[in-house]
Amino acid sequence: KEGVKMKISTFLIDKRKEKKFTQAQVAEMAEISRAYYTQIEAEIKRPSPDVAQKIASILGFDWTIFFTNDGNKMKQNLLGLR
């Protein structure tokens, strides 16, 4: 992590581990394949709004983080680092 700047992949991994979920568990709860979730977590693919909402609900954050142009500001706000 570089100070307050955090990649979405690091953010997702941290949130998932905080909840003690595996990639497979998150994928199952979000009704997607583990492979697809892994690609989202690695920032290879961006989820659809529906999938983004499911993942955010499972992991406990604002789903719009996947789509904001000001991602670093959003991440800082979500992490309480304003």
Side-chain angles (χ1 to χ4, degrees):
K1 299 175 190 176
E2 303 172 358
V4 295
K5 290 184 179 178
M6 182 184 291
K7 294 174 70 168
I8 189 75
S9 58
T10 304
F11 176 77
L12 285 173
I13 291 166
D14 287 351
K15 294 300 275 183
R16 178 174 53 79
K17 288 183 177 181
E18 188 179 288
K19 299 277 188 181
K20 298 183 179 2
F21 291 143
T22 64
Q23 289 179 333
Q25 288 171 316
V26 174
E28 183 178 339
M29 289 184 278
E31 301 174 321
I32 59 175
S33 71
R34 188 200 55 80
Y36 181 41
Y37 179 76
T38 301
Q39 292 175 327
I40 293 168
E41 201 172 81
E43 296 184 70
I44 295 168
K45 298 217 174 190
R46 184 184 299 198
S48 68
D50 183 52
V51 170
Q53 289 174 19
K54 288 178 183 179
I55 292 170
S57 176
I58 293 160
L59 298 181
F61 63 89
D62 183 343
W63 68 276
T64 61
I65 192 172
F66 289 108
F67 306 100
T68 182
N69 289 331
D70 193 3
N72 285 331
K73 184 176 180 185
M74 173 66 78
K75 289 173 218 163
Q76 290 170 19
N77 289 341
L78 290 172
L79 297 170
L81 301 172
R82 295 176 227 185

